[in-house]
Amino acid sequence: MCTITLSYNDKDKVAMEKLAALLSSGLFTQVETDDNLLVNSSDASLFEIDPTLTPITKDLTPDELEDMIVSDIHSIYTAHHAV
């Protein structure tokens, strides 16, 4: 799990539509937090690697990494909306 803090103009229609799209993807949920969210970096569980992930056996270029991530997001999004 990770927490992403997103700042946007809530009076901007495009920003609201993009936020709605992110939330509807099922990849993110919106939670109310205070502005002083603290992460305990001594928590070892934050650094655990999911054993179900396929290890990457080579160094990826930024473009290859982006393509891989976008492909994964599309797969998740498609599967989420196929149900």
Side-chain angles (χ1 to χ4, degrees):
M1 178 182 101
C2 74
T3 301
I4 298 171
T5 302
L6 177 65
S7 298
Y8 67 97
N9 179 351
D10 62 357
K11 296 183 182 8
D12 182 342
K13 182 179 177 184
V14 174
M16 294 299 293
E17 289 172 355
K18 290 186 183 228
L19 176 60
L22 282 173
L23 294 173
S24 71
S25 72
L27 298 172
F28 302 94
T29 59
Q30 188 172 9
V31 295
E32 297 298 323
T33 61
D34 61 21
D35 290 335
N36 299 318
L37 181 64
L38 299 176
V39 176
N40 179 1
S41 60
S42 66
D43 181 357
S45 69
L46 295 174
F47 304 100
E48 292 175 358
I49 296 175
D50 184 344
T52 64
L53 296 175
T54 303
I56 298 173
T57 57
K58 68 171 194 150
D59 290 337
L60 299 174
T61 67
D63 287 338
E64 290 172 323
L65 182 59
E66 179 183 14
D67 289 344
M68 184 179 71
I69 292 169
V70 169
S71 174
D72 287 348
I73 290 172
H74 281 277
S75 297
I76 293 166
Y77 183 78
T78 302
H80 176 74
H81 287 310
V83 176

